[in-house]
């Protein structure tokens, strides 16, 4: 792993955003997997600012979101589709046909998952996969205990996230909410990975993911075995790291 400890929170956002911009500048037809959340949301804002200040060709880049909440409307502001559309796709003027997402509603998510991963593979190998990390070590919706060879599947959210989304999206209790996610194996097949984390709520899990044993109890720990994984952390998330 290549660990980059940013000196300030702003540097953290900027370093991570420039890594995504650089990927597109170096290879304009890159296939890039994105993640949603507070961490990546701020990185995407920094990426949009970079694009405004230093425009680059985005007509051939393909973006997809690594996971999606199921059981809500796509238009709900907390769906991954909605967030990535407004945070990245529209601000960077990416053609809509180059934005790949699974649906939020379906009666057959096994089929939707297969279609989703096939649509990504049809564009070629994934050049860069951006990953956030949950406080329990999850990546996408691959929660602790998920086998390392998982491929796209309909998983579950943590209870706190599910409760918030149910409230925000006015989803009644009898409607199932889930998380369709690319699997750990799918993410590991990417040419490069960019793992990002900031804040004191990520200090402990970043230490486990980067310096702890590789175990399914901490899904992100498998990234230690990826040949090209950058880990960008802010001073708070990096606080307990002994390495470098
Ligand atoms: C959700 C997403 C993950 C993301 C995580 C971290 O669970 N499914 O892909 O990594 O949130 O979110 P945050 O950056 O808000 O801590």
């Amino acid at each position: 792993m290549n660990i980059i400890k940013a000196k300030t929170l702003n540097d953290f956002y900027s370093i991570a955003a420039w890594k995504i911009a650089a990927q597109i500048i170096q290879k304009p037809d890159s296939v890039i997997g994105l993640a949603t959340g507070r961490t990546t949301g701020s990185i995407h804002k920094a990426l949009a600012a970079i694009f405004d200040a230093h425009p680059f060709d985005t007509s051939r880049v393909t973006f997809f979101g690594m996971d999606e909440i199921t059981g809500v409307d796509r238009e709900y502001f907390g769906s991954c589709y909605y967030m990535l559309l407004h945070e990245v796709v529209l601000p960077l003027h990416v053609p809509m046909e180059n934005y790949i997402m699974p649906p939020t509603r379906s009666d057959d998510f096994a089929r939707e998952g297969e279609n989703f991963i096939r649509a990504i593979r049809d564009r070629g190998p994934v050049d860069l996969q951006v990953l956030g990390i949950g406080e329990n070590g999850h990546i996408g919706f691959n929660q602790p205990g998920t086998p390392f060879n998982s491929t796209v599947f309909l998983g579950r959210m943590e209870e706190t996230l599910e409760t918030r989304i149910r409230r925000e999206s006015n989803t009644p209790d009898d409607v199932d909410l889930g998380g369709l996610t690319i699997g750990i194996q799918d993410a590991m097949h990417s040419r490069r990975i960019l793992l990002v984390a900031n804040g004191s709520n990520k200090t402990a899990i970043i230490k486990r993911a980067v310096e702890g044993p590789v175990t399914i109890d901490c899904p992100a720990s498998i990234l230690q075995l990826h040949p090209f994984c950058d880990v960008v952390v802010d001073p708070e998330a990096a606080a307990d790291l002994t390495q470098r």
Side-chain angles (χ1 to χ4, degrees):
M1 283 174 146
N2 174 33
I3 306 192
I4 301 157
K5 295 180 182 173
K7 289 203 168 65
T8 66
L9 181 59
N10 268 340
D11 282 358
F12 162 77
Y13 293 135
S14 170
I15 291 167
W18 270 109
K19 289 223 168 251
I20 303 172
Q23 175 66 47
I24 304 169
I25 292 165
Q26 282 164 13
K27 185 170 182 283
D29 63 348
S30 287
V31 179
I32 302 179
L34 297 170
T36 50
R38 285 156 296 181
T39 314
T40 49
S42 300
I43 292 169
H44 297 158
K45 215 175 267 175
L47 175 62
I50 290 170
F51 181 76
D52 282 346
H54 317 276
F56 45 87
D57 178 16
T58 52
S59 65
R60 288 185 291 144
V61 66
T62 294
F63 281 118
F64 66 92
M66 73 176 305
D67 53 15
E68 180 56 291
I69 296 159
T70 63
V72 298
D73 288 335
R74 253 192 172 180
E75 291 67 36
Y76 156 54
F77 64 85
S79 81
C80 299
Y81 174 87
Y82 185 97
M83 287 195 276
L84 296 177
L85 178 69
H86 291 276
E87 290 171 5
V88 178
V89 175
L90 295 176
L92 265 60
H93 304 169
V94 175
M96 280 305 285
E97 65 270 23
N98 292 355
Y99 179 36
I100 304 175
M101 285 298 280
T104 54
R105 293 191 192 278
S106 171
D107 53 13
D108 188 350
F109 277 112
R111 189 194 60 217
E112 301 298 353
E114 285 310 313
N115 290 344
F116 177 50
I117 209 78
R118 195 170 321 112
I120 296 168
R121 285 190 192 131
D122 282 352
R123 301 284 176 129
V126 175
D127 294 290
L128 175 68
Q129 176 64 59
V130 182
L131 296 175
I133 183 170
E135 287 172 34
N136 64 0
H138 75 241
I139 47 179
F141 286 118
N142 293 271
Q143 302 291 352
T146 307
F148 284 146
N149 66 352
S150 67
T151 55
V152 65
F153 70 105
L154 181 59
R156 57 189 173 79
M157 300 179 238
E158 319 88 279
E159 225 175 285
T160 44
L161 182 63
E162 178 165 343
T163 308
R164 175 163 67 82
I165 288 173
R166 197 172 281 287
R167 193 185 55 239
E168 278 178 7
S169 61
N170 294 319
T171 305
D173 286 346
D174 57 340
V175 175
D176 278 347
L177 292 177
L180 188 72
T181 184
I182 65 165
I184 295 173
Q185 181 175 298
D186 300 321
M188 286 293 280
H189 280 173
S190 316
R191 284 179 166 153
R192 307 193 76 91
I193 290 182
L194 172 60
L195 175 68
V196 291
N198 75 282
S200 55
N201 60 324
K202 300 287 171 70
T203 312
I205 197 63
I206 274 295
K207 184 167 177 68
R208 278 180 67 198
V210 171
E211 296 180 357
V214 174
T215 162
I216 61 170
D217 296 337
C218 177
S221 64
I222 189 71
L223 303 174
Q224 292 176 31
L225 304 184
H226 192 283
F228 298 103
C229 179
D230 286 329
V231 183
V232 181
V233 277
D234 84 325
E236 287 191 341
D240 283 355
L241 291 180
T242 49
Q243 279 185 15
R244 284 154 280 200

